[in-house]
Amino acid sequence: MAYAIFSDRREAGRRLAGTLAALGLEDPVVLALPRGGVPVAYEVARGLGAELDLLMVRKIGAPGHEEFGIGAVVDGADPQVVMNREAAGLPIPPGYVEAETRRQLAEIERRRAIYLKGHPPVPLAGRTVVVVDDGIATGGTVRAALAALRKAGAARIVLAVPVAPPEAIAALSPLADDVVCLEQPAFFRAVGLHYQDFDQTTDEEVVALLDEARRSRGEPARGIAFGE
């Protein structure tokens, strides 16, 4: 039986920030996996006095079977494509991956415009990057994100999550320089079971937290128009 460990995402983020502070990270940038990772990352960024940005990942599906992921594209100043091992043996038409990458990047840009209108991705080359989500179940999205950040030239990659199963952390650890996971329940069923309040994070909440993070660092907030 799983029991709630965290009251909500904000409280989990404050606890994460306290643990991360002990690492002595130099000028980190905090990247949230939207949407649920944003309230957690907001508290981490505030606790570390760090920049907060989004890290959006879009699956590249197999031809004719879009639900089967053969890779992923990860946004940023220099977007990266990460292909899965399973893609090697599939009959993929010439140009398919390139075309699908363009399509997914367009969707990433659309979403980034909604959340961060006019705010470009933070350059990551040579930076210490802290990747934050509200928890990990299988780790597929996080795996793609970490691999892409390494390709993008991040100097130090820190994965920080409140809760995840031990096997997921063991699988992801080689892709990061540091991993901070507050709780690793032996009997893990779902991320939400470890929160008292795990309501869906709304677009409005994401925008409000990103605006507040920029204001706290003396950066101008940017307006938003939903329904685009």
Side-chain angles (χ1 to χ4, degrees):
M1 178 69 180
Y3 296 93
I5 301 168
F6 309 103
S7 60
D8 57 21
R9 293 179 177 90
R10 299 281 292 269
E11 187 258 340
R14 290 190 289 271
R15 288 175 56 181
L16 262 183
T19 302
L20 287 163
L23 296 181
L25 303 176
E26 184 176 349
D27 188 28
V29 55
V30 176
L31 299 181
L33 290 167
R35 290 181 290 192
V38 176
V40 185
Y42 169 81
E43 296 292 345
V44 169
R46 188 170 73 161
L48 299 179
E51 288 181 274
L52 175 62
D53 198 4
L54 299 181
L55 185 64
M56 286 177 274
V57 182
R58 295 287 298 175
K59 177 174 68 177
I60 297 175
H65 300 278
E66 288 75 15
E67 72 284 353
F68 179 75
I70 60 173
V73 57
V74 183
D75 80 328
D78 181 19
Q80 300 291 327
V81 176
V82 179
M83 300 303 294
N84 299 339
R85 296 190 191 96
E86 295 80 2
L90 294 177
I92 300 175
Y96 172 82
V97 172
E98 292 79 4
E100 187 64 10
T101 296
R102 288 192 296 271
R103 190 171 77 86
Q104 297 303 338
L105 279 173
E107 176 61 18
I108 284 174
E109 286 305 310
R110 187 188 72 83
R111 295 186 180 206
R112 178 168 278 275
I114 290 174
Y115 293 134
L116 289 161
K117 193 173 290 292
H119 191 78
V122 175
L124 303 177
R127 296 289 301 274
T128 294
V129 178
V130 183
V131 179
V132 178
D133 205 353
D134 55 10
I136 295 173
T138 62
T141 298
V142 174
R143 175 180 294 277
L146 296 177
L149 291 172
R150 190 68 74 190
K151 288 175 65 177
R156 182 179 180 182
I157 299 173
V158 182
L159 173 62
V161 293
V163 61
E167 58 271 20
I169 294 300
L172 292 169
S173 291
L175 299 177
D177 298 295
D178 301 276
V179 176
V180 173
C181 181
L182 300 180
E183 301 289 343
Q184 299 182 48
F187 300 100
F188 184 95
R189 290 176 58 196
V191 170
L193 294 178
H194 303 283
Y195 287 84
Q196 293 175 12
D197 178 357
F198 198 68
D199 288 345
Q200 186 179 52
T201 303
T202 66
D203 286 340
E204 290 85 352
E205 184 179 359
V206 169
V207 172
L209 289 172
L210 293 170
D211 278 350
E212 179 57 32
R214 285 193 293 272
R215 281 193 295 266
S216 68
R217 292 179 57 85
E219 303 173 34
R222 286 169 170 81
I224 194 70
F226 291 99
E228 295 184 8

